[in-house]
Amino acid sequence: LDTPVKRYSSGMKVRLGFAVAAHLEPDILIVDEVLAVGDAEFQKKAIGKMQEVSHEGGRTILFVSHNMNAVRKLCSYAIILNDGKITKSGGVDEIVADYLSVDEVKNESLLEIKKGRWGIGDVKFTYMYMLNSKGNKVEQVISGE
């Protein structure tokens, strides 16, 4: 409490902002990638608070994230945005499945056609993939695997 905010890390500022916003009891709480910062304990507390606000408080949360597990836990309705335009909307399970399998999303992330690269180009990644603990390719990594 004695540390000036100007000395907080960016992650700590996000935590503070989320804590203040969540306790002000707004009708609509907009949360944009707040779970991208912080440790597992903060993420757990944040998800718990958002569930409390939406379910028990009867308030609306607009939750923006690429974390599909968090989207599944928190949301009852979802949309996919592409270049600021809604490309699909509906139930969470359907939208998450579409998000993870849509060719358009996959093609945009293909490294060999990726635009907006930076650096001097001595090394250029053109392909990568993730393996789970069993050595199988996966589209998403679940915490703890």
Side-chain angles (χ1 to χ4, degrees), residues 49-68:
K49 184 63 180 175
M50 285 188 277
Q51 286 174 325
E52 176 187 321
V53 165
S54 65
H55 295 127
E56 296 167 19
R59 291 176 275 154
T60 299
I61 295 179
L62 176 58
F63 180 63
V64 180
S65 184
H66 294 281
N67 181 336
M68 294 300 107

Side-chain angles (χ1 to χ4, degrees), residues 14-29:
V14 170
R15 290 178 183 194
L16 177 61
F18 174 76
V20 170
H23 287 87
L24 286 177
E25 299 188 5
D27 291 332
I28 300 174
L29 179 62

Side-chain angles (χ1 to χ4, degrees), residues 100-133:
L100 294 174
S101 66
V102 171
D103 287 340
E104 184 176 41
V105 172
K106 286 183 179 178
N107 287 338
E108 285 184 7
S109 64
L110 288 176
L111 293 174
E112 66 262 19
I113 61 170
K114 188 83 173 166
K115 294 183 173 115
R117 293 174 180 260
W118 53 274
I120 59 174
D122 287 348
V123 175
K124 187 175 183 181
F125 289 98
T126 58
Y127 184 76
M128 71 174 67
Y129 55 90
M130 297 178 287
L131 301 176
N132 64 13
S133 59

Side-chain angles (χ1 to χ4, degrees), residues 63 67-80 88-100:
F63 180 63
N67 181 336
M68 294 300 107
N69 289 328
V71 169
R72 281 187 177 116
K73 279 184 181 177
L74 290 170
C75 303
S76 57
Y77 186 83
I79 63 174
I80 296 175
K88 188 138 189 174
S89 63
V92 173
D93 290 334
E94 173 192 354
I95 297 304
V96 166
D98 272 9
Y99 177 81
L100 294 174

